[in-house]
């Protein structure tokens, strides 16, 4: 094995194999796909947040040049197709079943948010489809709407659904209410705050798209789409929409220009393009325009938390209580809408020893796009609430916030530690994370830097935030290693890469197990016909579940390989050892390579009697429990009091993601997560006009995004504590950066503003909002 190949193992900083293809224009993204006889579709979307549809006249559109069809919800419903629905058991506060309105493919009676699809135009070209869409005449009767989460939860708010007595879909509770009430009753101090977590959009590199194909000879559907989990999309389409066996639906997902959770599995355009393709007997393509994307997609976050922390006279935490409003938009299309924050609120207590906690969450309907998982999916929200209430408590009690954390942080000797809301932290060195972060960031030298900033007329703030998240839940994943007669191999995973560098990381795991040269391995994912099973990529699960499945499949390859090698070398199978891609007879210099064994596996004459030819192994792995990536973030900012502008000066992360597969791709994941968290704190927000419900941030003209010059250098240090809950010891890395970035950045800003008397400010901390907060504080002081 040469020196170059030795660099490919687990833990090595291998540059991504896929980058040479992607950076030279050889990627195959959704919009790169063009099929013979392909038609194009455009959706007519509601311009109203809430309106009764009095009538739809499609006559002029159908008669327009190049138009193949114009469909409405009535056409769709006439074909008797199904709709997915939420299945998680939930109830309203009075014990009645939850109100979970399904999402129609095309609305027929009412539009319930700006962008709700009303009609579908299919034409020979995209321009002809756009022209015809303008001819679809929809008569609307505008109705009162509510887009603000706080307003929608009020008893007198306009109703999104007449059938629901209020806008509360259901109420979810977690924790021990009685123990928490008792903790608050004996507390020496109780600190209460209300924090708003804004609505945002993923804003990926390539907006979503779909191409539907129907083969009338095989009676089979094929969907080309950029999705997080192709097999789940297939299953939903087969079982809930078209009601056919899964074998009659194929989903193909190639390169994905960013996902971040928003490219899910229940979008109506998937089923509509397939349905239209069947009716027209030709492929139908939809490409989301950048100006359409915020209207067409699910959104993220949008919560309001009223949080309370109970402490004793020594500053020890006794109890934690949260009452949260969580926006879920106008529809609940599937359980996906119930995952955030309901499924992830368990880590609300963070890395702190809190004996009792209780959470109540009201799921609130409004005239807005449905919300769904977005990078972190509830974990950034939870840590944001915990770290901000901790800072508020430190200020009220006159305790240094670092000291308050030290008094309450969970120590390694307490592992495994059962958190009050259910999670069981199996391992972690939370105090050491914090100590490393304080040392590396030169936290002690902040006062001198603050003085220098003050001389320049600037305000400087620093913050430390401890973060933990629940990742990689106990859901199965699939991996297959398929050798070919030449000795090369196909590596197939049920996860789906959308920018994380899976091809490189999985080849590193395979190399670690088998020594195979990555050049001899072809990586395949994202095709339900080629990969037997998969649950896809979400919740930082790919390396934990997919990597463990791959390790199991590799072990099977090695075991069969030992039997073949023993036969080839006329030795006992028990005398064969495997290392460095070679099978060797113990105590001798006789060996055969894995490639030689793979070639022999396809030659029956060279196999032991009765052995099945071929060297093809697969495995499925389901973790028994989630993992808990954790870390400590330190953020330092400077604020210009005359303009409100916030500049990032320093940022450090000490991270524990368990076993590190590739330090380079890990750094990329952390950088990206931090950038998305910083973006939400400083500028990002989906905004609706209060009275009309109009979407005010529908394009990059109005929806601000962080740029390279928004960020500062991000330093990353590792404190990995491998977990024993999976075969690799990995904890997951995709969302770790975002989980800690929200509280670290916001608290740093608040600490910078504190000398001026600014006590409360909700995200986003735009220059205008910060400036207004400063002026308000100055007026109060005066």
């Amino acid at each position: 094995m040469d020196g170059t190949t030795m660099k490919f193992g687990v833990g090595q900083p291998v540059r991504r194999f896929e980058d040479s293809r992607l950076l030279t224009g050889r990627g195959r993204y959704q919009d790169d796909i063009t099929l013979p006889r392909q038609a194009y579709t455009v959706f007519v979307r509601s311009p109203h947040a809430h309106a009764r549809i009095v009538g739809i006249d499609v006559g002029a559109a159908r008669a327009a040049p190049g138009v193949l069809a114009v469909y409405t919800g009535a056409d769709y419903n006439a074909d008797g197709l199904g709709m997915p629905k939420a299945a998680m058991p939930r109830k309203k506060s009075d014990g009645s079943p939850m109100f979970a309105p399904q999402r129609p493919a095309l609305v027929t009676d009412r539009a319930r948010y700006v962008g709700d699809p009303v009609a579908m135009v299919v034409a020979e070209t995209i321009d002809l489809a756009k022209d015809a869409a303008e001819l679809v005449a929809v008569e609307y009767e505008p109705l009162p709407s509510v887009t603000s989460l706080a307003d929608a939860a009020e008893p007198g708010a306009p109703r999104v659904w007449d059938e629901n007595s209020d806008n509360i879909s259901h109420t979810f509770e977690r924790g021990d209410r009685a123990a928490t009430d008792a903790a608050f009753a004996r507390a020496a101090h109780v600190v209460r705050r209300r924090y708003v977590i804004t609505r945002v959009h993923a804003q990926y590199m390539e907006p979503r798209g779909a191409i539907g194909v129907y083969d009338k000879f095989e009676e089979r559907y094929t969907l080309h789409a950029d999705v997080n989990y192709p097999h789940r999309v297939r299953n939903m389409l087969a079982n809930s929409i078209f009601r056919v066996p899964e074998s009659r639906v194929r989903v193909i997902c190639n390169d994905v220009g960013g996902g971040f959770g928003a490219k899910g599995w229940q979008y109506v355009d998937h089923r509509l393009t397939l349905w239209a393709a069947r009716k027209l007997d030709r492929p139908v393509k939809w490409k989301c325009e950048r100006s359409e994307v915020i209207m067409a997609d699910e959104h993220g976050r949008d919560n309001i938390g009223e949080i309370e922390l109970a402490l004793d006279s020594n500053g020890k935490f006794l109890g934690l209580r949260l009452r949260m409003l969580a926006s879920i938009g106008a529809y609940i299309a599937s359980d996906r809408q119930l995952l955030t924050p309901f499924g992830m609120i368990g880590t609300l207590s963070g890395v702190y020893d809190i004996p009792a906690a209780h959470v109540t969450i009201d799921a609130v309907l409004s005239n807005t796009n449905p919300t769904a998982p977005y990078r972190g999916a509830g974990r950034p929200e939870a840590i944001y609430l915990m770290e901000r209430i901790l800072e508020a408590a430190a200020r009220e009690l006159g305790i240094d916030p670092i000291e308050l954390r030290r008094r309450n942080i969970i120590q390694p000797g307490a592992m495994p530690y059962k958190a009050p809301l259910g999670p069981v932290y199996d391992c972690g060195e939370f105090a050491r994370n914090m100590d490393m972060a304080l040392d590396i960031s030169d936290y002690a030298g902040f006062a001198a830097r603050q003085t220098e900033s003050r001389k320049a007329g600037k305000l400087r703030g620093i913050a430390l935030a401890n973060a933990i998240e629940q990742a990689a839940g106990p859901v199965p994943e699939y991996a297959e290693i398929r050798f070919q007669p030449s000795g090369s191999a196909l590596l197939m995973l049920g996860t789906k890469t959308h920018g994380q560098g899976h091809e490189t990381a999985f080849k590193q795991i395979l190399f670690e197990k088998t020594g195979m040269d990555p050049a001899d391995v072809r990586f395949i994912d994202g095709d339900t016909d080629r990969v037997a099973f998969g649950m896809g990529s979400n919740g930082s699960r790919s390396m934990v579940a997919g990597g463990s499945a791959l390790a199991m499949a590799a072990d099977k390859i090695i075991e069969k390989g030992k039997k073949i090698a023993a036969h080839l070398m006329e030795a006992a199978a028990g005398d064969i050892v495997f290392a460095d891609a070679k099978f060797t007879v113990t105590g001798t210099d006789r060996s055969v390579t894995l490639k030689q064994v793979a070639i022999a596996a396809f030659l029956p004459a060279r196999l032991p009697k009765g052995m099945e030819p071929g060297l093809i192994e697969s495995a499925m792995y389901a973790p028994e429990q989630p993992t808990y990536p954790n870390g400590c973030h330190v953020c330092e900012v400077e604020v210009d009091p005359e303009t409100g502008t916030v500049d990032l000066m320093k940022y450090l992360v000490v991270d524990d993601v368990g076993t590190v597969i590739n330090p380079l791709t890990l750094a990329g994941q952390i950088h990206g997560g931090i950038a998305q968290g910083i973006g939400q704190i400083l500028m990002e927000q989906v905004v609706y006009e209060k009275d009309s419900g109009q979407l005010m941030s529908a394009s990059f003209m109005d929806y601000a995004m962080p740029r390279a010059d928004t960020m500062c250098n991000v330093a990353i240090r590792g404190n990995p504590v491998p977990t024993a809950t999976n075969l690799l010891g990995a904890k997951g890395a995709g969302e770790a950066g975002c989980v800690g970035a929200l509280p670290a950045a916001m608290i740093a800003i608040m600490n910078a503003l504190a000398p001026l008397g600014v006590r409360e400010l909700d995200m986003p901390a735009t220059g205008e909002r910060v400036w207004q907060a400063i002026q308000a504080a100055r007026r109060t002081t005066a």
Side-chain angles (χ1 to χ4, degrees), residues 602-620:
F602 290 89
L603 303 172
R606 304 192 68 189
L607 297 179
K609 186 176 181 180
M611 177 176 282
E612 179 182 2
L615 193 55
I616 301 170
E617 296 291 349
S618 64
M620 291 181 66

Side-chain angles (χ1 to χ4, degrees), residues 435-494:
D435 289 341
M436 288 177 63
L438 290 169
D439 179 51
I440 299 168
S441 67
D442 187 22
Y443 198 93
F446 170 73
R449 297 191 294 276
Q450 186 179 43
T451 299
E452 290 302 310
S453 293
R454 191 178 297 122
K455 291 178 182 177
K458 303 292 182 67
L459 305 168
R460 198 175 185 107
I462 193 170
L464 177 146
N466 288 312
I468 192 167
E469 57 166 322
Q470 178 176 312
V475 178
E477 196 46 80
Y478 176 85
E480 180 179 341
I481 304 167
R482 185 186 301 176
F483 276 91
Q484 297 172 313
S486 65
S488 62
L490 303 178
L491 173 59
M492 291 175 279
L493 268 296

Side-chain angles (χ1 to χ4, degrees), residues 90 94 146 286 394 449 459 462 487 506 545 566 591 603 672 703 706 768:
R90 294 282 189 270
D94 61 5
V146 60
W286 172 68
R449 297 191 294 276
L459 305 168
I462 193 170
F506 285 130
S591 65
L603 303 172
Y703 188 99
E768 178 187 14

Side-chain angles (χ1 to χ4, degrees), residues 25 95 122 162 277 320 365 385 390 398 411 464 470 498 535 584 638 646 650 676 728 730:
V122 187
D162 294 341
L320 185 66
L365 295 157
L385 293 169
L390 185 153
Q411 298 297 326
L464 177 146
Q470 178 176 312
H498 38 93
M535 294 300 288
T584 304
E638 213 174 49
V646 178
K650 297 177 67 176
Q676 286 185 284
L728 297 180

Side-chain angles (χ1 to χ4, degrees), residues 23 51 167 183 229 283 303 379 391 407 597 615 674 677 681 746:
L23 295 175
N167 287 326
Y229 9 80
N303 306 310
R379 289 97 84 193
E391 287 279 326
R407 292 183 193 181
V597 167
L615 193 55
I674 290 170
I681 293 300
M746 195 68 199

Side-chain angles (χ1 to χ4, degrees), residues 628-710:
Y628 296 93
N630 59 87
C632 185
H633 294 229
V634 178
C635 179
E636 202 164 321
V637 302
E638 213 174 49
V639 178
D640 184 340
E642 300 307 314
T643 64
T645 302
V646 178
D647 290 320
L648 262 66
M649 308 305 292
K650 297 177 67 176
Y651 203 105
L652 166 76
V653 183
V654 175
D655 221 49
D656 171 15
V657 298
T659 299
V660 176
I661 307 300
N662 186 325
L664 281 180
T665 56
L666 171 62
Q669 288 293 292
I670 294 174
H671 286 160
I674 290 170
Q676 286 185 284
I678 295 297
Q680 178 161 6
I681 293 300
L682 293 185
M683 62 192 70
E684 292 188 50
Q685 186 177 12
V686 175
V687 179
Y688 295 91
E689 200 276 327
K690 181 178 176 65
D691 295 327
S692 68
Q694 279 298 314
L695 183 61
M696 304 294 287
S697 54
S699 74
F700 285 151
M701 293 292 290
D702 306 294
Y703 188 99
M705 289 282 289
R707 306 183 310 183
D709 59 0
T710 304

